Amino acid sequence: MNIQSEHNLTEQLPQIWESLQTKVQRMIVQLKGKTPHATKNGVYDNIRNDWWTSGFWPGMLWICYDISGKPVYRDEAAEWDIRLEQCFIGESRLHHDVGFQFLLTAVLKYKITGDEDARRRGLQAANFLAGRFNIAGNFIRAQNDDKIGRAIIDSAMNLSILFWASQETGDPRFSHIARAHAETILTRFIREDGSVRHIVRFDPFTGEFAEALGGQGYGPDSSWTRGQAWAIYGLANIYRFTGERIYLDACRKVADYFITALSEDSVTVWDFRVPEPEMEPKDTSASSIAASGLLELAMHLPEAEGRVYKSAALKMLTALTNDYAVWDDPEYEGILRGGTGHKPEMKDVDVSLIYGDYFYVEAIAKLKGWNRQIF
Ligand code: GLY
C-alpha cells in the first residue's frame, strides 16, 4: 500500500480496513485448527494453548466481529475461551500472561455477547493472576519454574484484568493488587530518562531488590523496545483505571523517551540501545503495540497535548502499512513482517508475530472509532 503521509492514513482508513478484512478472512481458512504464534517462511506455527500468545488471534476476530457484525468472525472466535479454560483444568504452564489470554477471549466475548460463562472464565483468570502476587516486594510473579522472584514489565498489560474483575464484582482486592504492582513498576522499572527495564528480580522471601536482568533485551541497562511499548500502553491503562496523575506522568515520560529514540523511518529496532541499531533487526510488534498505547495515552490528554502522541502513532502505523504489511501475497499468513520475538536467543527473528498483527489491527480499529478499551 502507498499512504503518502500520516495525514493520509486517516483518509485511507476505509481502504486499509477493507484490505484487513480480506486478509483476516483468508487467515481464517489458513489458520484453521492452529494456535498461531510466529511465522516460518510465511506460515504460522501451531503453539500450545497455554502459551502467552494464544489470545491474540481470537482477539483480532472479536474486534472484526464487533465492528462488522459478520458471523464469520464470531463463529471462529466463540470457542476460544472454552478452549483456554482447559488450561486451568489439566497440567499447564500458565503464568502472569493470563491477562493477555483471557482479556482477549473470555472478557471480550462477555463484553460483546453478554455470555455469563465467558465472564466466569475471565474472573477465574483474574483470581489466578491475583494468586501470583508476592506481598514481600509487592510484585506479581511473572514466570514459572525456579523464577520465583521475577517481575517483568510486560505484566503492566495484565493488570487490566484485575481492574476489570474489581469493577465487575465490586471486590476491591483485585485492584489493590494491581495498584501495588503498579507502584512497583514506577519504583523499580522506569528509569530516570524514561527508559524501562525488562526484568527485575526480588528476593521472594524479604522482597528486597536483587538485580535487573536483560531478558529479551540487549542487556540489563538496555532498552528492549517491546518492553518500552508494554510500559507505555500499560501505564496509560493504569491511569484510566485509577485516575492517578502519577501514572499519566510516567506514561508520558516513557512515551517521550520512545518517540525521541525512534529512528527516522518510525519503525522500532528490537532494542533502542544496541551498539549499531541500523545493522540490527526491527521489531514491528513493538511499533504496533506502542502505536495502540500512544492512541490510548492521547485519549487522556487535552487535544493540544495529546496531538504529539497521536501523530507519532500515525507515523508508525503509516510506515507499518506501507512497508511491512503483507497485502498481496495470498500464501503469506501473517499481517506484519519484521517482528522479532527473542533476539538474544535468536528465536523468531524477522517474522510475523501474532501479537504484532493483533495490535496493528487494534490500532487501526481504534482509529476507526472502536473503543472497547479491552486492555
Ligand atoms: N510477553 C513476552 C514478550 O513480549 O515477548
Side-chain angles (χ1 to χ4, degrees):
M1 223 175 270
N2 185 15
I3 316 283
Q4 293 301 317
S5 77
E6 69 270 21
H7 305 295
N8 299 94
L9 184 80
T10 2
E11 282 160 28
Q12 287 180 242
L13 272 179
Q15 186 199 336
I16 298 169
W17 188 250
E18 198 49 44
S19 302
L20 271 179
Q21 296 311 281
T22 308
K23 181 86 198 178
V24 174
Q25 285 177 26
R26 197 185 299 136
M27 287 167 80
I28 289 177
V29 179
Q30 291 168 321
L31 302 186
K32 217 33 156 207
K34 289 203 263 188
T35 304
H37 161 243
T39 57
K40 198 167 184 190
N41 301 322
V43 175
Y44 261 117
D45 58 0
N46 178 25
I47 204 112
R48 308 186 318 255
N49 277 340
D50 61 359
W51 184 245
W52 75 278
T53 57
S54 57
F56 292 108
W57 168 235
M60 197 189 305
L61 293 165
W62 278 122
I63 293 179
C64 293
Y65 174 65
D66 211 12
I67 292 178
S68 71
K70 288 189 183 152
V72 59
Y73 301 116
R74 182 201 55 210
D75 294 350
E76 200 59 31
E79 298 290 311
W80 276 90
D81 59 317
I82 303 166
R83 222 171 281 162
L84 296 195
E85 184 185 30
Q86 296 308 308
C87 301
F88 283 122
I89 295 164
E91 169 138 8
S92 90
R93 296 187 53 74
L94 289 177
H95 52 43
H96 72 131
D97 281 332
V98 289
F100 284 119
Q101 292 165 284
F102 284 83
L103 281 166
L104 293 177
T105 55
V107 180
L108 191 46
K109 180 182 183 182
Y110 169 61
K111 286 191 175 188
I112 293 173
T113 68
D115 182 308
E116 287 292 327
D117 278 328
R119 176 181 182 273
R120 177 179 54 72
R121 293 181 189 109
L123 292 176
Q124 188 176 13
N127 271 300
F128 175 88
L129 185 59
R132 296 182 73 88
F133 184 69
N134 189 333
I135 197 167
N138 277 336
F139 68 94
I140 291 173
R141 172 180 173 172
Q143 298 160 333
N144 291 334
D145 304 318
D146 59 351
K147 302 181 179 79
I148 304 170
R150 285 195 190 187
I152 72 176
I153 192 60
D154 321 31
S155 287
M157 292 293 284
N158 292 319
L159 301 185
S160 297
I161 201 165
L162 296 175
F163 286 119
W164 167 79
S166 270
Q167 286 179 341
E168 200 57 33
T169 60
D171 183 339
R173 290 174 305 144
F174 300 102
S175 76
H176 290 330
I177 288 173
R179 279 167 183 264
H181 184 90
E183 274 177 44
T184 302
I185 294 176
L186 294 184
T187 53
R188 297 296 189 190
F189 281 88
I190 301 173
R191 304 188 188 105
E192 203 43 52
D193 67 351
S195 68
V196 174
R197 290 169 164 163
H198 183 200
I199 302 180
V200 173
R201 187 170 68 78
F202 297 91
D203 179 320
F205 296 97
T206 64
E208 269 170 45
F209 171 88
E211 61 180 336
L213 298 163
Q216 282 159 263
Y218 181 70
D221 302 319
S222 78
S223 177
W224 175 50
T225 47
R226 195 156 64 248
Q228 320 304 297
W230 293 139
I232 293 172
Y233 202 162
L235 288 163
N237 299 333
I238 296 166
Y239 174 67
R240 186 176 83 242
F241 283 111
T242 64
E244 285 185 33
R245 179 85 206 185
I246 196 167
Y247 293 107
L248 184 65
D249 293 343
C251 184
R252 290 182 76 164
K253 184 159 117 170
V254 179
D256 291 342
Y257 166 84
F258 191 100
I259 294 169
T260 312
L262 206 50
S263 49
E264 195 73 358
D265 62 357
S266 291
V267 181
T268 37
V269 69
W270 69 278
D271 190 307
F272 283 133
R273 292 193 177 148
V274 280
E276 292 184 279
E278 56 292 340
M279 309 297 286
E280 294 283 336
K282 297 284 190 186
D283 179 15
T284 51
S285 77
S287 302
S288 66
I289 295 160
S292 199
L294 289 170
L295 292 176
E296 177 70 33
L297 169 60
M299 278 182 51
H300 299 292
L301 293 166
E303 204 275 328
E305 285 176 54
R307 207 180 295 146
V308 63
Y309 303 113
K310 183 166 180 189
S311 161
L314 292 178
K315 273 197 189 125
M316 286 195 273
L317 292 169
T318 303
L320 294 177
T321 305
N322 283 341
D323 303 328
Y324 291 89
V326 182
W327 305 113
D328 297 330
D329 180 350
E331 304 303 318
Y332 193 92
E333 294 184 0
I335 299 177
L336 293 183
R337 291 182 200 271
T340 292
H342 197 318
K343 176 68 178 27
E345 290 186 1
M346 285 309 286
K347 273 191 199 142
D348 303 321
V349 177
D350 197 13
V351 296
S352 291
L353 297 164
I354 197 66
Y355 40 98
D357 289 357
Y358 168 82
F359 283 102
Y360 175 72
V361 171
E362 189 196 78
I364 297 291
K366 283 181 182 175
L367 291 175
K368 270 182 67 66
W370 184 77
N371 62 357
R372 284 275 177 197
Q373 293 180 305
I374 192 63
F375 282 106

